Amino acid sequence: RSFASQTDGEARVTRVLREKFPQASAIKVVDISGGCGAMYEIHIESEEFREKRTVQQHQMVNQALSEEIKSMHGLRIFTSTPK
């Protein structure tokens, strides 16, 4: 899928993550529920995750998306720091 065909939900989640993680070098949000917005897979690469354990990184993402998560069924989070 091209970036232009991003669903409203993907665009909304991406916008929130860009706001909350201004240092992110890469953010990818994919609706893995077939476009209904129930489940997302998120990949974020950000300097803000450096020196933090994976569980702490995921807590930061969950915190950033606290409002959006209320209407989701599930979320898969993948975090990393720039190499």
Side-chain angles (χ1 to χ4, degrees):
R1 250 183 2 193
S2 70
F3 184 73
S5 66
Q6 199 179 33
T7 67
D8 290 346
E10 289 168 344
R12 188 177 59 251
V13 172
T14 302
R15 206 168 35 249
V16 171
L17 291 171
R18 286 239 173 266
E19 223 169 83
K20 306 280 189 192
F21 297 98
Q23 295 178 36
S25 45
I27 293 178
K28 183 179 163 206
V29 177
V30 181
D31 185 335
I32 53 175
S33 62
C36 71
M39 192 157 177
Y40 291 93
E41 185 172 292
I42 294 172
H43 295 261
I44 304 180
E45 182 181 272
S46 179
E47 199 54 55
E48 289 143 292
F49 297 139
R50 197 166 303 284
E51 306 294 317
K52 291 188 170 50
R53 297 193 329 273
T54 304
V55 70
Q56 293 171 310
Q57 296 172 8
H58 289 199
Q59 285 169 340
M60 290 167 70
V61 175
N62 279 318
Q63 185 82 41
L65 294 173
S66 58
E67 275 309 303
E68 288 71 21
I69 286 174
K70 291 175 185 172
S71 61
M72 289 180 198
H73 175 70
L75 187 59
R76 291 206 306 224
I77 301 171
F78 298 90
T79 53
S80 59
T81 53
K83 302 285 177 274

